[in-house]
Amino acid sequence: SRLLLLLVVSNLLLCQGVVSTPVCPNGAGNCQVSLRDLFDRAVMVSHYIHNLSSEMFNEFDKRYAQGKGFITMALNSCHTSSLPTPEDKEQAQQTHHEVLMNLILGLLRSWNDPLYHLVTEVRGMKGAPDAILSRAIEIEEENKRLLEGMEMIFGQVLPGAKETEPYPVWSGLPSLQTKDEDARHSAFYNLLHCLRRDSSKIDTYLKLLNCRIIYNNNC
Amino acid sequence: QSPPGKPKIIKCRSPGKETFTCWWEPGADGGLPTNYTLTYHKEGETVTHECPDYKTGGPNTCYFNKKHTSIWKLYVITVNAINQMGVSSSDPLYVDVTYIVEPEPPANLTLELKHPEDRKPYLWIKWFPPTLTDVKSGWFMIQYEIRLKPEKATDWEIHFAAKQTQLKIFSLYPGQKYLVQVRCKPDHGYWSEWSPESSIQIPNDFPVKDTTMWIFVAVLSAVICLIMVWAVALKGYSMMTCILPPVPGPKIKGFDIHLLEKGKSEELLRALESQDFPPTSDCEDLLMEFIEVDDSEDQQLMPRPSKEHMEQGVKPMHMDPDSDSGRGSCDSPSLFSEKCDEPQAHPFKFHTPEGPEKLENPETNLTYLQATQSTSREGKIPYFHASGPKSSTWPFPQPPSLHNPRYSYHNIADVCELALGMAGTTATLLDQTDQHALKSSKTIENGEEEKAAKQRESEGCSSKPDQDTAWPLPQDKTPLISAKPLEYVEIHKVSQDGVLALFPKQNEKVGAPETSKEYSKVSRVTDSNILVLVPDPQAQNLTLLEEPAKEAPPALP
């Protein structure tokens, strides 16, 4: 049993590949982590979150969405579509740091609430495989972590700049809780589809910013 | 002739997240020339578009260039087959370009054999990122993988290369022709195809790490380890005794354990009795110094002013023919007088009595040196004094009528250290035995010996305050045990390593002593005639206590 425990722990550590301990033990106060480290860390976390989201979506799709055509309902279903995010490389490269970072922060904040409810509702879903639940829980945690990191980066890259507008609010909770199983599964599908997309956006923008700011477009 | 069969979209792929291509598979053409069109609409738009480019990707493909490619948007794509008879549409494919990224294989794979001067030679593999991928801006992130094998081998050796565009291979077999391929993968997406093979011939004289020698060395050392383990297992015990000789335990000469196990106490005692007594052959070259303790009542414990005032420090054997108390010396008619050829100091082993039960029975033939801590009446720092219940610790001849035990006093300091060394057991022992000791000790303290009972500051013990707890103060107990005959110890023998074996000398000449204990050597005598016993293995001069008491001739059993 000790060997098993050792294997499990090492597996967890290997699988994570994410630094989850705070860099500054004293908190964000006086401690100045280098921007390069902050970006490295943020990129790692965003990459990890996107991986988890993709896996979670694929699991759900495999288990609950086969032949159901949920994808057709997923068009325009994301609560964050109101955010004016760049849609290709040229647009993204022409977007200023500040705008991009505010977009990232907005996305991260707007997902706090849905992630929380996602965990709760997935728990209540009958027969929900642990693969989905565990990833949901992990994503919720990592999202908070990434948000903290982004705020620090924002403070360093653009000191004095203000963080913008309120973020889009999610209102899909009732649809997650309907009695109709198909409707409920469809709602879950949409949520996971949007989560996968938004985590990809955050990941891409961060990697762009990283190469632009830290490596001077010479990654 | 019929309408065309339903076409099917095979897949769509984006090589760099900036453009993408879709492939479809035509259905049956229904016997008529069939045209294929691809139509799509994007998420959030209502307008339907047609494929902007049917040519670039080849037949039955549609190529979407940068202008027409949006990321994070679902494309709903349909292929239509049109012939004269009708139109047939495929099932729509919902595509998000973000998730269909599959790069081209890396380009320009080059192989080079390098022979640096002071290092091992290696194969240097280099390549370039695939076309259409913008790595510099960070839009596209790539990882690489190399595989190689000798031409004739079946299995590929795979190396992961992360973001670098070169790799060095050291483990190569000379004389072989190697094939090398490389492929890549975006951070989120599909692996590319393997690049075309590159090959290189390793020359025959290519020096290689000589692994066979190391294998031989490893096997040899493993064999040696096994042999050693086996030898240790077989002869472990004898090796252990050789390396770590067993600590000699206390032995009682003449005490046959086997007899004891059998429960034959009679024979046991007889065996003890039958020992050479006094011991002869094994003690000849040992120091025969010992201390005589006189338990005569009119012997005083108070050091007489005329006597030497025993100061601290080890004193040589004090020979005072006037009093034989507390002094075992070569010139005193004692047990070992004939043995005292060499007045060397030998250590006495300090051996506390075992078991409070022995103390309860004063008649038992047990001797022990009991160190108890008692404070003086003035309540000063306690000092040790060796005492046995109604027995003196030093062998000396006493008339049976003597009942006032004379005790030898040990310097607190040394005995402290000694006792502390056995703190746990002895403390408890002494706690319990203390009462008995107190009685006897009080006999000394009371009466004229009271004055003699000086307290000595114990340097050693003063730094050990916890001693107080371990050693209760026999302040309050004062019953005189004068009525009972006193026992005292006579030296049974001195063993090879200077262990003094004592046994009680019975006033009534009760049978042979059963047990003997070993005592440490005396390190010094204090001015209150406290004999300091320490477990000092080194040879030191034996200090004899000068007891200013009436002497009595030592009586041999």
Side-chain angles (χ1 to χ4, degrees), chain A residues 79-145:
Chain A
H79 67 289
T80 51
S81 50
S82 61
L83 280 176
T85 53
E87 306 267 283
D88 61 31
K89 188 181 86 167
E90 278 70 27
Q91 281 183 29
Q93 283 183 322
Q94 285 157 19
T95 311
H96 190 261
H97 313 335
E98 188 172 349
V99 176
L100 270 183
M101 282 203 269
N102 271 315
L103 283 172
I104 295 173
L105 284 170
L107 283 168
L108 287 170
R109 289 196 184 109
S110 74
W111 273 100
N112 268 336
D113 190 45
L115 282 171
Y116 170 77
H117 289 291
L118 178 68
V119 170
T120 320
E121 298 305 322
V122 166
R123 268 211 188 98
M125 227 165 78
K126 70 167 162 52
D130 192 56
I132 295 178
L133 178 62
S134 60
R135 287 188 172 89
I137 293 170
E138 186 75 3
I139 292 173
E140 192 197 356
E141 267 189 46
E142 294 295 323
N143 199 63
K144 289 188 185 128
R145 210 164 270 139

Side-chain angles (χ1 to χ4, degrees), chain B residues 271-464:
Chain B
L272 284 174
E273 284 172 30
S274 64
Q275 288 288 323
D276 281 344
F277 191 72
T280 54
S281 57
D282 54 340
C283 304
E284 278 175 353
D285 52 345
L286 297 177
L287 171 70
M288 296 307 152
E289 295 180 8
F290 53 91
I291 295 175
E292 293 182 344
V293 175
D294 188 352
D295 62 351
S296 159
E297 62 185 321
D298 40 337
Q299 290 174 355
Q300 297 180 16
L301 298 169
M302 188 68 172
R304 294 194 190 135
S306 60
K307 296 288 181 192
E308 296 176 30
H309 193 65
M310 299 297 233
E311 290 304 329
Q312 300 183 22
V314 178
K315 296 241 169 173
M317 185 163 49
H318 182 81
M319 308 198 190
D320 187 353
D322 293 337
S323 86
D324 66 343
S325 54
R327 160 183 54 90
S329 64
C330 288
D331 54 353
S332 72
S334 64
L335 270 170
F336 301 100
S337 55
E338 67 268 26
K339 307 289 188 260
C340 285
D341 299 329
E342 312 136 17
Q344 303 164 13
H346 282 256
F348 289 96
K349 275 195 192 151
F350 181 69
H351 213 90
T352 52
E354 297 185 59
E357 66 279 4
K358 300 182 181 177
L359 295 173
E360 291 155 11
N361 187 2
E363 267 74 34
T364 58
N365 296 333
L366 292 171
T367 68
Y368 40 88
L369 190 65
Q370 185 178 9
T372 57
Q373 184 179 22
S374 57
T375 53
S376 71
R377 277 167 313 245
E378 292 92 279
K380 286 199 185 171
I381 291 177
Y383 58 90
F384 284 109
H385 61 269
S387 61
K390 306 171 301 184
S391 72
S392 61
T393 53
W394 305 105
F396 60 92
Q398 288 294 331
S401 60
L402 292 175
H403 59 79
N404 201 2
R406 183 195 335 181
Y407 296 87
S408 52
Y409 289 82
H410 308 272
N411 181 281
I412 282 180
D414 305 303
V415 177
C416 265
E417 294 157 10
L418 179 71
L420 282 175
M422 330 182 218
T425 50
T426 55
T428 33
L429 283 175
L430 292 166
D431 283 348
Q432 301 175 20
T433 62
D434 194 55
Q435 302 188 13
H436 304 278
L438 290 181
K439 297 178 189 170
S440 18
S441 70
K442 281 304 170 184
T443 58
I444 297 180
E445 289 177 311
N446 297 327
E448 62 183 318
E449 289 81 8
E450 286 186 32
K451 293 166 191 153
K454 290 183 187 173
Q455 327 77 5
R456 292 272 318 174
E457 294 231 356
S458 157
E459 306 82 10
C461 287
S462 58
S463 62
K464 295 170 182 159

Side-chain angles (χ1 to χ4, degrees), chain A residues 47 50-51 71-72 74-77 86-90 92-93 193 196-197 200-201 203-205 207-208 211 217-219, chain B residues 17-18 41-45 66-67 69-74 76 94 96 98-99 134-139 141 143 187-188:
Chain A
H47 183 95
H50 182 56
N51 272 344
I71 187 73
T72 58
L75 291 173
N76 302 313
S77 64
E87 306 267 283
D88 61 31
K89 188 181 86 167
E90 278 70 27
Q93 283 183 322
H193 159 84
R196 178 168 75 147
R197 170 180 292 175
S200 171
K201 281 188 186 176
D203 188 42
T204 306
Y205 298 155
K207 285 168 178 168
L208 259 183
C211 282
N217 273 329
N218 197 14
C219 265
Chain B
K17 240 177 8 179
E18 299 179 58
H41 70 92
K42 281 170 26 171
E43 179 180 2
E45 291 175 2
K66 286 187 192 182
K67 263 186 16 189
T69 306
S70 301
I71 321 288
W72 304 303
K73 269 213 173 346
L74 278 172
V76 187
Y94 292 78
D96 188 330
T98 322
Y99 311 124
D134 184 1
V135 183
K136 281 203 183 317
S137 70
W139 182 254
M141 306 204 77
Q143 300 165 347
D187 52 354
H188 302 285

Side-chain angles (χ1 to χ4, degrees), chain A residues 21-33 148 152:
Chain A
T21 52
V23 175
C24 289
N26 303 329
N30 302 328
C31 184
Q32 191 76 354
V33 188
E148 280 174 25
M152 288 171 74

